Amino acid sequence: MEIKRHSRRKENGESWKKRQKENKRQRCRERESEKGSGRCQWQSMGTVGATARGTGMALRTPIRAPLMLMGLLTTGLAQLPIPASAPRGFWALSENLTAVEGATVELRCGVTAPGSVVQWAKDGLLLGPDPGIPGFPRYHLKGDPARGEFHLHIEACDLSDDAEYECQVSRSEMGPELVSPRVILSILVPPKVLQLTPEAGSTVTWVAGQEYTVSCVSGDAKPAPDITFLQSGQTISDVSANENQGSQEKLFTTEATSRVTPQSSDNGQLLVCEASSPALDTPIKASITMNVVFPPGPPVIQWPGLEEGHVRAGQSLELPCTARGGNPPATLQWLKNGQPVSTAWGTEHVQAVARSVLVMTVQPEDHGARLSCEAYNSVSTGTQEQSITLQVTFPPSAITILGSASQTENKNVTLCCIAKSSRPRVLLQWWLGGRQLLPTDETVMDGLHGGHISMSNLTFLVRREDNGLTLTCEAFSEAFTKETFKKSLTLNVKYPAQKLWIEGPAEGKYLRTGTRVRLVCLAIGGNPDPSLTWYKNSRVVTEQRLQQESRRVHLGSTEKSGSTFSRELVLVAGPSDNQARFSCKAGQLIVSTQLVVQFPPTNLTILANVSALRPGDALNLTCVSISSNPPVNLSWDKEGERLEDVAAPPQSAPFKGSAASRSVFLQVSSRDHGHRVTCRAHSAELRETVSSFYRLNVLYRPEFLGEQELVVTAVEQGQALLPVLVSANPAPEAFNWTFRGYRLSPAGGPRHRILPGGALQLWNVTRADDGFYQLHCQNSEGTAEALVRLDVHYAPTIRALQDPTEVNVGGSVDIVCTADANPILPGMFNWERLGEEEEEDHSLDDMEKISKGSTGRLRIHHAKLTQAGAYQCIVDNGVAPPARGLVRLVVRFAPQVEHPTPLTKVAAAGDSTSSATLHCRARGVPNIIFTWSKNGVPLDLQDPRYTEHTYHQGGVHSSLLTIANVSAAQDYALFTCTATNPLGSDHTNIQLVSISRPDPPLGFKVVSRTPHSVGLEWKPGFDGGLPQRFHIRYEALETPGFLYMDVTPPQATTFTLTGLKPSTRYRVWLLASNALGDSGLAEKGTQLSITTPGLDQPSGEPDHQEPTEQPAGPSGLPLLPVLFAVGGLLLLSNASCVAGFLWRRRLKHLAEGISEKTEAGSEEERVRNEYEENQWTGDRDTQSSMASTSEVEPYYHSTKDFSPRLPPTLEEGSYPQGFTGLKDEDMAFPGHLYDEVERMYAPSGAWGPLYDEVHMDPYDLRWHEDKYENPRGVYDQVAEDLDAVRSDSLPFELRGELV
């Protein structure tokens, strides 16, 4: 084979060289035909041909166009004349080279040719003189060109580099061109892969001894590789190989095939394909793993004992079976008589051994059985087997004794003993106690599984003393020396009991029913144990009877104590036990006893002659006592009332007792329905009574009971239940309610429901529901009717209240309050007097309260002004909420005009440029009419200079007289205001004067003291018609000099003087000043002497303190009085100079200001401003007057800067209908009616209290329309005049219902 492959490779090499030469000739012919003979000459020189090849290559590869141009240039250089004497030649050249793909190769070219161009040609293609060789990145020239070194260096050779190379030198002046001998570069390409069939790396399963074909194909390589097969490391000689052309030119593949016959020793070994090549350092390999299957060896059974096959029944036998070798390992199977008994086996793969153990418990039936172990696998041609036959020794499986071991004494017993099959046979022996008995005969027969059956018969006479002895049949054999096989019986010799008796109550003794009776039956001796049976009157007391009479009978079981046997019968004596005979029987023996039981009637029955009863029917009842011992006495009663009855003759009775009966006659009524008629059976001996009753069922129409409520009380908006207490038999079929002729729906309605018992339930009850409700009841026997009144209680509401109620001072009057309420109680009317002032007397002790029916009266005798005001009528009948009504008591009295002393002053400029307003206020009821006069002459109010506004506010009446263009000559006069009503008149005087300095303050006093401060208070005096302010001067009596303080704010009427010393006397002055000067210090009323308390004395703080500043300068120093005196003199001297100038300028500016204001404003605006100022001043005066209401002082009103905003009067305009000016809370009427109006709507100006001090809001200018002068008068007002007040602010009972 090797010789063949070598000769084939040599032939391939020669054919390749021939193909190369032929290709060269062909290319030469092509160049001659295309480019002429000149080129052929260059070809003969070795350079032109290379250039032509280069040109041809350039046509095929566009990237080599620059190389073709270089070749043309070189050809031109070669044609230049070169001197013949130039020394030129190669001094270093490479020989043919062989390189492995990927290696680096260097082709050497050393030349002596100065001035010439040197380049390399590859297969005739000129590579160019550039050392970098463009187009061939792996090619470049190495060496020193100056030394003539032009070595071609090729990196990472591949198959494309396999070619012929020439080093060419161009023609130059030194000589002609030079071409080196051709150098052949052979590139060796190693095979990359081997393709093995079956697939490399796999495991193939082959059967030992069979032939298989394996092929191996190499990848592309140069030259073609050699392929060798190795089987289990041994070279296979029978291999055929073929070389084929590879995927590219110059590449070859080798395909090798081999035939393999595996053996068992090849199992698990490798079959390797190995390829070697000159391009490989080590061969490449591909392999498969051989899995060679072959049959196992024969099985071997290992018998555990010496005698093969001999075994004893019951023995646990373990037989191992092994089979060696085989792939796959052997499959083992155990068979018993040809039938599989075990298929489990294990395998040891390392040693290739299969092992199976048969485990069995030997049975007698296994005698002669053939056990086989079989071994085989998937490639076995047949089954290999080894067998063993069993020889089983077994004892008898059982010993049986046939016949009865129970016999009456002195009789023969016959028994047979049989031993079941055994191998070998056994011998039988008989034993009674410790005595051996001889058998009558013996027999041996063939048995199962190759064994023998042994049988022995025995007959002997039994005696009483043999009772209870053990009779034994024993089997033995030499094969079973360590075992004993026997069967035993207990001999039972029968004989009767010797004695039988009963223990219990003495016969003939009286037993009370319910008594627990214990009877015991006893017997001695006997075999078997005597059976004790109880009888009652010849009937067996059985377990079944025990269950039926479990409450009164208990039957025990037979008990044994030594040779004595007993059985207990426990019973609760009942009527059925009276004179009953109880017997006990044991075998042929019997004994008995008799009981005597006393019992009450077993059944008491009442019989009636009729079933349906109606009022008036006659009823006959008979009471029957079925049986009793001793006899009983019968009696009748109805609901505890004894009845007369009639006795009946006695009759026979069960349980050997006595019977009795008695009858009673009744006349029934509806009241008897449901009553019980009782029959009582009494036994004097037993001291016991048995009762039975008969309930009377009397049919009658409905009847209302005496407890039926005929009047039901309910509260309005609450619930009401009209109960029904009716008796009827049968029960009423329907309950029908009617109210005022209308029937109420039985199904119920929004506000009612008829309950199942007939009661009527109402909710959200109103007073309209008050009245009589008629109830109609009906059943099958008739009907009945009843009237039930519903009395609805509701909270009171006031229907009539005389408001206002008027009375003259000193007269009498009743305030009448009429209410609607249910119930009407005698003391449900109460009265209260309303008022906010705590000091007011709200007591009603001087008034008489009268209550009669729905009307309450508050009677007032000798009415006083203090009793005028708002009263509240409270009606409370116990149903919430109480009703409340407001009524005003108006006490009519003659006018009372305020008379301040001295005369009231009003200041105004008398230059006919200003106006003045005179205020006159009076109290009186009814309304007052005002008249004015000047200096005693009635004032003509038609004069346009005079304007009067009249206001009526309850009992307070005001008149405002405005004088326009006041003239000193005409108007500085005494004006008189007269107030008149039907009860009288009164007047006051007001003086109109010019503006001036203020009057001294009034009421200057101390209100509090502390060691370091004093609280002061005063009332302003007449301000002279100009704004005024106050100053305080004080001195310490021990220290000379005065200190001054300005009161801030200017309108304040209280001041706290601080910075004082404890226990020190002071003198304090109060001055008032305006633009025209001060009030002076002449008045004694403006001077106080004060001594401050010591630090250890109690002090009081004023209710209100105004902050003050301490006087400047240190206090307490000895030089202080001197300094104050000197300073005072200096100030007075300077002030006297300045004061004259300021006074003149002040008067001038004041006159100009008054004139300008008069000209700028209209008369109406002056009146408005004047009213506002008066109103403010009046408020201030009112506050000051509250400090001391006992003092009477004049009131002064300034006319400066007045601009009162007066509401229009009835004469000037009307208010819109919706205007009220009142709030809801204003209707509470606290205090007197006319007082309340005063404090709500105080007119401008300030008057002292007439007879009660009140608080008023001077800035509230909202006037109610009905507060003005009205022809009806305030005393004519009734509740309808309060429509302007929101109705929801009044109690419900007053809304639109007052008369």
Side-chain angles (χ1 to χ4, degrees), residues 1082-1137:
E1083 293 290 338
K1084 295 182 179 180
T1086 60
Q1087 177 180 338
L1088 294 174
S1089 294
I1090 304 170
T1091 301
T1092 57
L1095 295 176
D1096 55 348
Q1097 296 179 0
S1099 60
E1101 292 294 332
D1103 295 335
H1104 175 70
Q1105 296 184 7
E1106 296 293 339
T1108 63
E1109 297 180 358
Q1110 295 287 348
S1115 62
L1117 294 178
L1119 296 179
L1120 182 60
V1122 178
L1123 294 177
F1124 270 112
V1126 175
L1129 292 175
L1130 293 176
L1131 290 175
L1132 289 175
S1133 63
N1134 293 331
S1136 61
C1137 297

Side-chain angles (χ1 to χ4, degrees), residues 655-667:
F655 311 128
K656 299 180 181 180
S658 300
S661 65
R662 297 187 77 88
S663 300
V664 67
F665 296 91
L666 298 174
Q667 190 81 19

